[in-house]
Amino acid sequence: VRREEQMFNRLLDRAVNNYVSFAMRKYRNYPADKAAVLFVNVQQAFTRQLQGIMPNLIQLQKPAREKGVRIVHAPFGGHSQRHTSPAQIRLTELLESTPNGREIPRELAAHSSDILLRARPSLSCFMKTDLHEQLKKAEIELLVVAGPYANLAIDSTVRDAVQLDFHVTVLSDC
């Protein structure tokens, strides 16, 4: 079952990447004051599972901060819905089974200029949070989305972001 699940996840990742690259308008430069890096589910429980992701996330965060690009942390907090999806159940199990699983890794800790959302029970970062309002208030138009488990929360978040008229870039190696 694990191998079939991995194959399905790779197919889903490719489909999302193709959709995103086809549907998004292209920018040559991202104006720092209009852009934000959205860290989706960048928490101990999830980054520990994917060994190679941390260096890439750090490599993304450092120049973003240097250029004045806003960083948004959107942690997952477990499911609390009546009709919970298998994905939410799996993410919740990882959170609960990992020591300090809910915490943001020390290397990516939030700074005072960051937007730190409260943990959400939904897959999409826009559901049951004030993310949309925070981005509009900061006049953000461009989102660079990164984090583990792209086929789960990032997929849901990107779909909502596009519907809300954000220009979205999903990083394949983060």
Side-chain angles (χ1 to χ4, degrees):
V1 174
R2 192 65 148 152
R3 182 182 161 135
E4 290 171 351
E5 186 178 285
Q6 289 173 342
M7 287 174 50
F8 176 74
N9 286 342
R10 281 194 293 269
L11 284 171
L12 189 57
D13 285 346
R14 278 191 221 127
V16 169
N17 287 337
N18 287 337
Y19 168 76
V20 170
S21 65
F22 174 77
M24 301 297 136
R25 56 189 184 268
K26 307 285 186 204
Y27 279 83
R28 291 179 188 239
N29 296 309
Y30 275 43
D33 63 331
K34 299 288 184 195
V37 172
L38 177 59
F39 281 146
V40 178
N41 297 2
V42 177
Q43 295 161 265
Q44 295 282 9
F46 310 127
T47 57
R48 284 184 186 171
Q49 297 291 319
L50 303 168
Q51 298 299 330
I53 197 169
M54 280 302 291
N56 295 344
L57 293 171
I58 293 166
Q59 189 175 353
L60 170 63
Q61 182 188 49
K62 187 174 189 267
R65 286 199 192 286
E66 289 170 358
K67 302 264 186 214
V69 174
R70 199 66 154 295
I71 305 288
V72 181
H73 297 272
F76 182 74
H79 63 81
S80 66
Q81 297 167 255
R82 285 191 350 219
H83 306 289
T84 306
S85 73
Q88 290 168 299
I89 292 169
R90 178 69 182 128
L91 291 175
T92 302
E93 288 171 353
L94 282 171
L95 277 179
E96 292 172 354
S97 67
T98 306
N100 303 319
R102 295 177 186 274
E103 294 179 14
I104 295 170
R106 180 180 38 82
E107 303 89 342
L108 299 170
H111 290 159
S112 60
S113 63
D114 293 355
I115 296 172
L116 179 59
L117 301 175
R118 66 175 163 58
R120 67 189 192 290
S122 58
L123 292 177
S124 172
C125 297
F126 287 94
M127 298 300 295
K128 301 187 180 188
T129 70
D130 65 344
L131 176 58
H132 187 227
E133 292 79 17
Q134 293 263 11
L135 295 173
K136 286 298 180 188
K137 180 179 164 187
E139 299 181 359
I140 301 297
E141 299 173 5
L142 312 159
L143 290 177
V144 176
V145 182
Y149 301 103
N151 58 326
L152 301 174
I154 291 179
D155 176 60
S156 297
T157 299
V158 166
R159 289 172 190 267
D160 287 344
V162 170
Q163 292 294 321
L164 293 168
D165 200 32
F166 290 98
H167 177 272
V168 182
T169 299
V170 179
L171 301 178
S172 62
D173 58 350
C174 289

